[in-house]
Amino acid sequence: MLLSPKHQFLFIHIAKTGGTSVRAALARRRWADPWYWPMFACSRLSHLSGHRIATKLPRHAKAIAAKELLPREVFEALFKFAFVRNPWDLQVSSFHHIRRERPRYLGGHEAFPAFLRWKLDPERPPQYHLDTSIELQSDYLIDLHGKLIVDFIGRYERLEQDFSEACARIGIAPPRLPHRRQANDRRADYRAYYDDQTAELVARHFAPDIERLGYRFDPAP
């Protein structure tokens, strides 16, 4: 989550949706914000206290957290935006991220289909390092009653275009987005990773996202 009181925006960072690039592009704007240094000090205090004093909005916090923690008039005045991603593609990205940086968390499942079945197994005890990409993306965008509380939802599939739109809504010139990191051994088309059964696993688990965000598993061209 990225908050700028000066420019009055709140970026809700959903993992594996291009958010790291968005944060990096907006970093200079944060440094020029007179509120940045007091917020940085609060962040450090939160870290040093073991995050017991609630002075920091976590990197991947949901919009409802900001709504509950910020004064109502402050939250309502912010331009709140996020990026989302096709759930089938996101799971492929998550698999390669874990295999590249945290292979011990693969649970012994080196192939994507086996890993996905294990990961989405309802009987498996929840594990935070996996469950960030198991959570519904739409949960990051709604309040406790299911009402959408963000002003703009961009899409990873058109990241640059939608980032420019978000910047226009904020009232700033769009800074350059840094290169998005991608695993060298990943096949470009996410559909190549799935068969009918594994595609259906994702369809069932992420059905609310697929319905609310309008994604689908398109047939290969």
Side-chain angles (χ1 to χ4, degrees), residues 8 10 63-80 143 147 149:
Q8 291 195 301
L10 179 70
I64 185 62
K67 183 177 182 181
E68 294 295 320
L69 290 171
L70 295 173
R72 179 178 179 180
E73 63 275 12
V74 172
F75 181 80
E76 291 183 350
L78 294 170
F79 169 65
K80 299 166 285 291
D143 64 14
K147 179 182 177 182
I149 54 174

Side-chain angles (χ1 to χ4, degrees), residues 7-37:
H7 297 288
Q8 291 195 301
F9 72 78
L10 179 70
F11 170 57
I12 295 90
H13 183 176
I14 303 172
K16 311 307 296 176
T17 62
T20 299
S21 294
V22 171
R23 292 176 67 95
L26 294 172
R28 290 186 179 181
R29 293 284 178 174
R30 293 184 71 200
W31 299 334
D33 190 329
W35 285 95
Y36 172 74
W37 297 109

Side-chain angles (χ1 to χ4, degrees), residues 201-219:
L201 280 178
V202 173
R204 288 200 304 267
H205 189 91
F206 297 101
D209 279 353
I210 292 164
E211 180 178 358
R212 182 184 285 268
L213 303 175
Y215 281 111
R216 63 182 184 180
F217 189 88
D218 292 318

Side-chain angles (χ1 to χ4, degrees), residues 50-109:
H51 302 294
R52 292 192 297 270
I53 60 175
T55 59
K56 179 181 179 181
L57 291 169
R59 182 183 184 91
H60 295 300
K62 297 176 174 65
I64 185 62
K67 183 177 182 181
E68 294 295 320
L69 290 171
L70 295 173
R72 179 178 179 180
E73 63 275 12
V74 172
F75 181 80
E76 291 183 350
L78 294 170
F79 169 65
K80 299 166 285 291
F81 71 105
F83 283 84
V84 296
R85 186 173 185 172
N86 182 302
W88 290 276
D89 186 35
L90 188 149
Q91 292 308 310
V92 174
S93 177
S94 175
F95 167 71
H96 280 283
H97 173 79
I98 293 171
R99 190 169 71 171
R100 180 179 65 248
E101 299 191 10
R102 300 177 180 179
R104 62 191 179 279
Y105 293 151
L106 288 173
H109 304 88

Side-chain angles (χ1 to χ4, degrees), residues 6-202:
K6 177 181 178 180
H7 297 288
Q8 291 195 301
F9 72 78
L10 179 70
F11 170 57
I12 295 90
H13 183 176
I14 303 172
K16 311 307 296 176
T17 62
T20 299
S21 294
V22 171
R23 292 176 67 95
L26 294 172
R28 290 186 179 181
R29 293 284 178 174
R30 293 184 71 200
W31 299 334
D33 190 329
W35 285 95
Y36 172 74
W37 297 109
M39 290 166 62
F40 176 78
C42 288
S43 171
R44 296 304 300 166
L45 288 171
S46 179
H47 173 73
L48 293 172
S49 72
H51 302 294
R52 292 192 297 270
I53 60 175
T55 59
K56 179 181 179 181
L57 291 169
R59 182 183 184 91
H60 295 300
K62 297 176 174 65
I64 185 62
K67 183 177 182 181
E68 294 295 320
L69 290 171
L70 295 173
R72 179 178 179 180
E73 63 275 12
V74 172
F75 181 80
E76 291 183 350
L78 294 170
F79 169 65
K80 299 166 285 291
F81 71 105
F83 283 84
V84 296
R85 186 173 185 172
N86 182 302
W88 290 276
D89 186 35
L90 188 149
Q91 292 308 310
V92 174
S93 177
S94 175
F95 167 71
H96 280 283
H97 173 79
I98 293 171
R99 190 169 71 171
R100 180 179 65 248
E101 299 191 10
R102 300 177 180 179
R104 62 191 179 279
Y105 293 151
L106 288 173
H109 304 88
E110 299 293 333
F112 175 75
F115 175 71
L116 186 67
R117 291 187 181 95
W118 174 71
K119 179 181 180 179
L120 299 184
D121 183 353
E123 301 300 321
R124 181 184 61 80
Q127 300 173 59
Y128 175 76
H129 50 269
L130 296 176
D131 291 348
T132 52
S133 59
I134 287 178
E135 292 183 316
L136 295 174
Q137 296 176 73
S138 53
D139 282 352
Y140 284 80
L141 313 174
I142 60 177
D143 64 14
L144 297 177
H145 305 288
K147 179 182 177 182
L148 196 68
I149 54 174
V150 300
D151 304 301
F152 179 74
I153 301 173
R155 295 182 181 267
Y156 176 87
E157 295 79 19
R158 51 175 191 253
L159 182 60
E160 292 191 8
Q161 176 184 340
D162 284 356
F163 178 63
S164 293
E165 171 65 19
C167 289
R169 298 275 295 272
I170 294 168
I172 61 174
R176 184 182 65 85
L177 282 169
H179 179 68
R180 289 173 288 170
R181 184 173 57 180
Q182 182 170 303
N184 293 330
D185 59 344
R186 174 178 171 169
R187 286 168 280 177
D189 192 332
Y190 70 86
R191 291 166 294 191
Y193 289 80
Y194 289 92
D195 57 25
D196 290 344
Q197 291 182 337
T198 51
E200 181 58 25
L201 280 178
V202 173

